[in-house]
Amino acid sequence: MQYWFFAAFVAVVVFLFYRYVTRESRQKAAALAEDFPAAWRQILSERVAFYLSLTAKDKLRFEKKIQVFLAQTLITGVQTEIDDVTRVLVAASAVIPVFGFADWEYGNLSEVLVVPDAWKEQQDPNKEVAPLSGTLLGSVRNFQTSRYMHLSKASLEQGFRDALDKQNVGIHEFAHLLDAADGTIDGVPSATLPPELHAPWAEVMAREIQAIRDGNSEINDYAATNEAEFFAVVTEYFFEKPEKLQEHHPELYELLLRAFRQNPKKRFLRFAVDPREWLKTLRSRRKFGRNDPCPCGSGKKYKDCHLLQQQAAA
């Protein structure tokens, strides 16, 4: 009797252990098996210029990465509601910097905490603080072996509202997590940048930071706070206004191409109408003829593309 009880106990323990160690893979498989919600696709199509710049095949891959991230990541509202828009924009912020890597997952992220707006704390050079104001828009914090991200909901939405202003707090914070993948948030993305480029990166980074401090750079002054902030700020610049980054900082741009394994400039410039400008137009509610080419770059007529989506959502 005792033998059978012990055997049953061992079997239960083994089963629970198996469920625990395979939890993430099962979540991922379940997410990949699901159809991508039409409401999420509309959010991406109306808010995320990076998504609009992708080919049809890459859009599907982007959507799958969104599903996996949301299946595996806890997003919690603190005194604010977490709706589909918030969830999709957080996920897009996470996917954009690592889209060049087939199987990247943020293994060091435990939870994303979303608060209504910016907040004030005692200033600390190791936290994400907006220049001059002492106001936090986002932060990445350590707790034991895990990291927690805080994001301002208002700032998250603003980051995607203007895709040409070189600022996106969501991308900024996930750049820190990418930087942290090697164990240290130090401005050197060692997990993705080839080892032979570490020294050139350090040289370019030091030169660019000094130029900012000397007032000889159009890169946001906050990038000169420290090396970690430099990497996060230029990551925003790289994904929002890559053509200007390449024009003014060609060495930096080439190194970021290698670090991210992406070329956002090439994606944006293949369109007759820039997807970033298209989103501005969409928000301004400028009228398009029903038979005009849809400015989103799909190749369809406006009446068969975004006009149809807007009518279906109404």
Side-chain angles (χ1 to χ4, degrees), residues 117-247:
D117 210 333
W119 68 98
K120 286 184 176 290
E121 287 188 3
Q122 183 177 357
Q123 292 200 28
D124 182 333
N126 296 317
K127 295 178 182 177
E128 317 315 311
V129 184
L132 306 179
S133 67
T135 299
L136 280 76
L137 308 178
S139 68
V140 174
R141 305 163 189 252
N142 296 328
F143 181 73
Q144 297 179 350
T145 60
S146 300
R147 287 190 169 92
Y148 290 80
M149 181 180 293
H150 287 70
L151 283 174
S152 155
K153 184 175 181 178
S155 298
L156 173 70
E157 293 180 355
Q158 176 58 37
F160 286 96
R161 190 169 292 122
D162 187 346
L164 284 163
D165 65 356
K166 304 182 293 187
Q167 298 181 47
N168 185 302
V169 70
I171 291 176
H172 182 108
E173 298 306 329
F174 279 100
H176 281 314
L177 285 184
L178 179 65
D179 182 8
D182 61 354
T184 307
I185 302 179
D186 59 0
V188 182
S190 300
T192 62
L193 190 67
E196 66 271 18
L197 295 181
H198 288 187
W201 171 259
E203 293 173 8
V204 170
M205 179 165 58
R207 186 170 68 246
E208 294 284 1
I209 289 175
Q210 190 59 52
I212 296 169
R213 291 172 177 170
D214 292 341
N216 297 323
S217 176
E218 89 296 346
I219 295 175
N220 190 312
D221 289 349
Y222 190 48
T225 303
N226 54 45
E227 288 80 0
E229 296 308 332
F230 176 81
F231 176 66
V233 169
V234 298
T235 296
E236 299 174 77
Y237 196 161
F238 179 76
F239 285 108
E240 290 226 332
K241 214 162 184 179
E243 66 284 356
K244 288 296 182 183
L245 182 63
Q246 185 183 48
E247 177 185 349

Side-chain angles (χ1 to χ4, degrees), residues 14-25:
V14 170
F15 174 75
L16 292 176
F17 179 74
Y18 169 80
R19 296 282 294 178
Y20 173 77
V21 299
T22 62
R23 178 173 59 89
E24 288 190 2
S25 62

Side-chain angles (χ1 to χ4, degrees), residues 11-71:
V12 170
V13 170
V14 170
F15 174 75
L16 292 176
F17 179 74
Y18 169 80
R19 296 282 294 178
Y20 173 77
V21 299
T22 62
R23 178 173 59 89
E24 288 190 2
S25 62
R26 287 185 289 106
Q27 286 177 333
K28 181 176 181 179
L32 292 173
E34 292 288 332
D35 291 334
F36 194 76
W40 293 6
R41 185 172 293 115
Q42 184 172 348
I43 293 168
L44 291 173
S45 297
E46 295 182 352
R47 292 174 181 260
V48 182
F50 181 94
Y51 174 80
L52 291 177
S53 75
L54 301 175
T55 63
K57 181 179 179 180
D58 278 344
K59 282 180 180 177
L60 292 176
R61 187 162 68 87
F62 191 89
E63 291 172 359
K64 289 302 180 184
K65 284 182 174 290
I66 291 280
Q67 287 176 286
V68 170
F69 178 84
L70 291 177

Side-chain angles (χ1 to χ4, degrees), residues 71-91:
Q72 295 182 337
T73 308
L74 182 61
I75 301 175
T76 304
V78 180
Q79 298 181 332
T80 191
E81 178 186 356
I82 299 298
D83 55 13
D84 277 354
V85 171
T86 304
R87 286 167 55 79
V88 170
L89 292 185
V90 169

